[in-house]
Amino acid sequence: MVLERNEPGLFPYFTQMTESTADGSYWFQAVPGQYRVQVQHPTFEKLTDATRDPMVLQAMRRAVSAPFSLPGTGALPTVLSPVDAAYHGYGPIAMQGKPMLPLSLQFSPAQAQASASLALYGLEDPAQKNIGYPWFVSPRSTKPTPTATFDGTFNTPKAREKIAIPGEGYYLGTLETVSAAVAPAWTRQSMVYPITFFATPLM
Protein backbone atom coordinates (compact mmCIF):
# COMPACT_ATOMS: atom_id res chain seq x y z
CA MET A 1 0.00 0.00 0.00
CA VAL A 2 1.42 3.37 -1.02
CA LEU A 3 0.17 6.77 0.10
CA GLU A 4 0.93 9.60 -2.32
CA ARG A 5 0.43 13.33 -1.95
CA ASN A 6 -1.82 14.48 -4.79
CA GLU A 7 -2.14 18.26 -4.65
CA PRO A 8 -3.73 20.07 -7.64
CA GLY A 9 -1.16 21.05 -10.26
CA LEU A 10 1.49 18.68 -8.91
CA PHE A 11 2.40 15.16 -10.01
CA PRO A 12 1.54 12.64 -7.24
CA TYR A 13 4.57 11.88 -5.07
CA PHE A 14 5.40 9.20 -2.51
CA THR A 15 4.82 9.85 1.17
CA GLN A 16 4.41 6.49 2.93
CA MET A 17 4.30 2.74 2.32
CA THR A 18 2.77 0.00 4.44
CA GLU A 19 1.54 -3.61 4.18
CA SER A 20 -2.05 -4.67 4.64
CA THR A 21 -3.09 -6.89 7.52
CA ALA A 22 -4.43 -10.42 7.07
CA ASP A 23 -7.97 -9.10 6.56
CA GLY A 24 -6.86 -6.60 3.91
CA SER A 25 -7.11 -3.50 6.07
CA TYR A 26 -4.38 -0.85 6.30
CA TRP A 27 -3.85 2.61 7.76
CA PHE A 28 -1.69 5.69 7.34
CA GLN A 29 -1.12 8.74 9.50
CA ALA A 30 -0.54 11.92 7.50
CA VAL A 31 -0.83 15.70 7.68
CA PRO A 32 -3.90 17.39 6.15
CA GLY A 33 -3.95 17.63 2.37
CA GLN A 34 -4.92 15.90 -0.87
CA TYR A 35 -3.81 12.27 -1.31
CA ARG A 36 -4.33 9.10 -3.28
CA VAL A 37 -3.59 5.45 -2.43
CA GLN A 38 -2.04 2.76 -4.60
CA VAL A 39 -2.86 -0.84 -3.72
CA GLN A 40 -0.05 -2.78 -5.39
CA HIS A 41 0.28 -6.51 -5.98
CA PRO A 42 3.04 -8.01 -3.78
CA THR A 43 5.12 -8.66 -6.93
CA PHE A 44 4.90 -5.02 -8.07
CA GLU A 45 8.44 -4.18 -6.96
CA LYS A 46 9.84 -7.71 -7.18
CA LEU A 47 9.00 -8.82 -10.74
CA THR A 48 8.93 -7.00 -14.06
CA ASP A 49 5.80 -6.80 -16.18
CA ALA A 50 7.51 -9.09 -18.69
CA THR A 51 8.11 -11.86 -16.12
CA ARG A 52 4.88 -11.66 -14.10
CA ASP A 53 2.34 -14.39 -14.98
CA PRO A 54 -1.20 -12.97 -14.82
CA MET A 55 -2.93 -16.32 -15.37
CA VAL A 56 -1.17 -17.83 -12.37
CA LEU A 57 -1.58 -14.82 -10.07
CA GLN A 58 -5.21 -14.00 -11.01
CA ALA A 59 -4.93 -10.51 -9.57
CA MET A 60 -4.69 -6.86 -10.51
CA ARG A 61 -1.33 -5.19 -11.11
CA ARG A 62 -2.44 -2.30 -8.95
CA ALA A 63 -5.46 -0.19 -8.02
CA VAL A 64 -5.23 3.60 -7.71
CA SER A 65 -7.77 5.64 -5.77
CA ALA A 66 -9.24 8.92 -6.91
CA PRO A 67 -7.84 11.90 -4.97
CA PHE A 68 -9.30 12.49 -1.51
CA SER A 69 -8.76 15.01 1.28
CA LEU A 70 -7.44 14.33 4.78
CA PRO A 71 -8.80 16.80 7.35
CA GLY A 72 -6.95 18.45 10.20
CA THR A 73 -6.33 17.49 13.82
CA GLY A 74 -9.38 16.34 15.77
CA ALA A 75 -11.28 15.00 12.78
CA LEU A 76 -12.49 11.43 12.62
CA PRO A 77 -10.30 8.97 10.65
CA THR A 78 -10.91 8.94 6.90
CA VAL A 79 -12.23 5.56 5.76
CA LEU A 80 -11.72 4.66 2.09
CA SER A 81 -14.00 2.47 0.03
CA PRO A 82 -12.78 -1.14 -0.33
CA VAL A 83 -11.24 -2.37 -3.57
CA ASP A 84 -10.99 -5.95 -4.84
CA ALA A 85 -7.46 -6.96 -5.81
CA ALA A 86 -8.49 -10.22 -7.50
CA TYR A 87 -8.96 -10.42 -11.27
CA HIS A 88 -10.11 -13.47 -13.25
CA GLY A 89 -10.60 -11.99 -16.72
CA TYR A 90 -7.22 -12.76 -18.29
CA GLY A 91 -8.43 -15.39 -20.75
CA PRO A 92 -9.52 -12.99 -23.55
CA ILE A 93 -6.31 -10.94 -23.45
CA ALA A 94 -3.89 -13.86 -23.31
CA MET A 95 -3.00 -13.55 -26.99
CA GLN A 96 -1.48 -16.45 -28.92
CA GLY A 97 0.64 -15.88 -32.00
CA LYS A 98 0.76 -12.55 -33.86
CA PRO A 99 -2.72 -11.07 -34.47
CA MET A 100 -3.61 -8.99 -37.50
CA LEU A 101 -4.81 -5.41 -37.22
CA PRO A 102 -7.37 -4.15 -36.56
CA LEU A 103 -7.65 -6.13 -33.33
CA SER A 104 -11.08 -6.59 -31.76
CA LEU A 105 -11.42 -8.14 -28.32
CA GLN A 106 -14.34 -8.92 -26.07
CA PHE A 107 -13.53 -8.88 -22.37
CA SER A 108 -15.38 -8.82 -19.05
CA PRO A 109 -15.19 -6.27 -16.23
CA ALA A 110 -14.13 -8.05 -13.06
CA GLN A 111 -16.59 -6.11 -10.90
CA ALA A 112 -20.14 -4.83 -11.11
CA GLN A 113 -20.53 -1.05 -11.31
CA ALA A 114 -17.31 -0.86 -13.31
CA SER A 115 -16.55 0.77 -16.63
CA ALA A 116 -13.79 -1.02 -18.52
CA SER A 117 -11.31 -0.15 -21.26
CA LEU A 118 -8.73 -2.04 -23.27
CA ALA A 119 -5.20 -0.66 -22.77
CA LEU A 120 -2.01 -1.14 -24.81
CA TYR A 121 1.43 -0.20 -23.57
CA GLY A 122 4.93 0.20 -24.87
CA LEU A 123 7.85 -0.31 -22.51
CA GLU A 124 8.64 2.66 -20.34
CA ASP A 125 11.92 1.00 -19.38
CA PRO A 126 12.98 -1.51 -22.08
CA ALA A 127 16.01 -2.61 -20.04
CA GLN A 128 13.80 -3.54 -17.07
CA LYS A 129 10.84 -4.74 -19.16
CA ASN A 130 8.29 -2.57 -17.35
CA ILE A 131 5.32 -0.65 -18.72
CA GLY A 132 4.51 2.99 -17.96
CA TYR A 133 1.38 4.88 -18.94
CA PRO A 134 -0.81 3.34 -21.66
CA TRP A 135 -0.24 4.31 -25.29
CA PHE A 136 -3.79 3.38 -26.27
CA VAL A 137 -7.00 3.35 -24.21
CA SER A 138 -10.34 2.39 -25.74
CA PRO A 139 -13.59 4.18 -24.83
CA ARG A 140 -15.03 3.06 -21.50
CA SER A 141 -17.84 0.56 -21.59
CA THR A 142 -20.26 -0.55 -18.89
CA LYS A 143 -21.60 -3.51 -20.89
CA PRO A 144 -21.28 -6.94 -19.24
CA THR A 145 -18.98 -8.06 -22.07
CA PRO A 146 -17.49 -4.90 -23.63
CA THR A 147 -15.80 -5.03 -27.02
CA ALA A 148 -12.87 -2.81 -27.95
CA THR A 149 -11.03 -2.34 -31.24
CA PHE A 150 -7.44 -1.24 -31.76
CA ASP A 151 -6.79 -0.19 -35.36
CA GLY A 152 -3.05 0.27 -34.86
CA THR A 153 -3.12 3.98 -33.96
CA PHE A 154 -2.02 5.00 -30.47
CA ASN A 155 -4.20 7.70 -28.91
CA THR A 156 -2.64 8.94 -25.66
CA PRO A 157 -0.11 11.75 -25.07
CA LYS A 158 2.32 9.24 -23.51
CA ALA A 159 2.67 7.21 -26.72
CA ARG A 160 6.17 7.30 -28.20
CA GLU A 161 4.96 6.00 -31.56
CA LYS A 162 2.01 7.05 -33.73
CA ILE A 163 1.17 3.56 -34.97
CA ALA A 164 1.99 0.00 -34.00
CA ILE A 165 5.08 -1.36 -35.75
CA PRO A 166 4.88 -4.98 -37.00
CA GLY A 167 7.23 -7.26 -35.13
CA GLU A 168 7.67 -4.86 -32.20
CA GLY A 169 6.60 -6.01 -28.74
CA TYR A 170 3.78 -4.31 -26.85
CA TYR A 171 1.70 -5.22 -23.81
CA LEU A 172 -2.06 -5.68 -23.50
CA GLY A 173 -4.27 -5.22 -20.46
CA THR A 174 -7.44 -3.62 -19.14
CA LEU A 175 -8.36 -0.61 -17.02
CA GLU A 176 -11.47 -0.48 -14.85
CA THR A 177 -13.00 2.45 -13.04
CA VAL A 178 -15.06 1.20 -10.11
CA SER A 179 -17.59 3.53 -8.50
CA ALA A 180 -18.41 3.16 -4.82
CA ALA A 181 -21.11 4.33 -2.42
CA VAL A 182 -18.31 5.62 -0.17
CA ALA A 183 -15.56 7.69 -1.81
CA PRO A 184 -13.16 7.38 -3.44
CA ALA A 185 -13.63 5.59 -6.74
CA TRP A 186 -10.80 3.29 -7.84
CA THR A 187 -9.04 2.61 -11.15
CA ARG A 188 -7.99 -1.03 -11.34
CA GLN A 189 -5.11 -1.82 -13.69
CA SER A 190 -4.73 -5.42 -14.79
CA MET A 191 -1.43 -7.19 -15.25
CA VAL A 192 -0.37 -7.33 -18.90
CA TYR A 193 0.34 -9.84 -21.63
CA PRO A 194 2.92 -9.41 -24.40
CA ILE A 195 1.53 -8.89 -27.88
CA THR A 196 3.22 -8.52 -31.28
CA PHE A 197 1.24 -7.55 -34.37
CA PHE A 198 1.66 -9.24 -37.71
CA ALA A 199 0.80 -6.20 -39.81
CA THR A 200 -0.15 -2.55 -39.43
CA PRO A 201 -3.29 -1.08 -40.99
CA LEU A 202 -3.06 0.64 -44.35
CA MET A 203 -2.39 4.35 -43.93
Side-chain angles (χ1 to χ4, degrees), residues 1-5 13-19 26 28 36-40 44-45 63 65 186:
M1 310 293 176
V2 177
L3 181 68
E4 296 177 318
R5 196 69 182 257
Y13 59 89
F14 174 89
T15 59
Q16 296 182 50
M17 178 181 287
T18 189
E19 293 186 359
Y26 56 94
F28 296 101
R36 74 176 190 178
V37 168
Q38 285 196 50
V39 178
Q40 300 175 346
F44 192 86
E45 301 288 348
S65 76
W186 292 86

Side-chain angles (χ1 to χ4, degrees), residues 29-110:
Q29 188 171 1
V31 299
Q34 285 275 105
Y35 293 88
R36 74 176 190 178
V37 168
Q38 285 196 50
V39 178
Q40 300 175 346
H41 190 269
T43 66
F44 192 86
E45 301 288 348
K46 298 176 182 178
L47 297 177
T48 67
D49 291 303
T51 57
R52 195 177 290 116
D53 190 333
M55 198 66 77
V56 170
L57 296 172
Q58 293 290 299
M60 303 302 293
R61 181 178 187 264
R62 64 174 180 169
V64 182
S65 76
F68 59 90
S69 296
L70 291 183
T73 304
L76 293 173
T78 299
V79 179
L80 304 185
S81 57
V83 61
D84 188 359
Y87 184 71
H88 305 295
Y90 285 114
I93 63 172
M95 302 298 297
Q96 303 293 326
K98 296 182 179 181
M100 297 282 290
L101 289 171
L103 172 70
S104 292
L105 282 178
Q106 190 175 68
F107 54 99
S108 300

Side-chain angles (χ1 to χ4, degrees), residues 37 52 99 129 140 157 179 195:
V37 168
R52 195 177 290 116
K129 303 295 184 182
R140 292 179 181 178
S179 59
I195 184 170

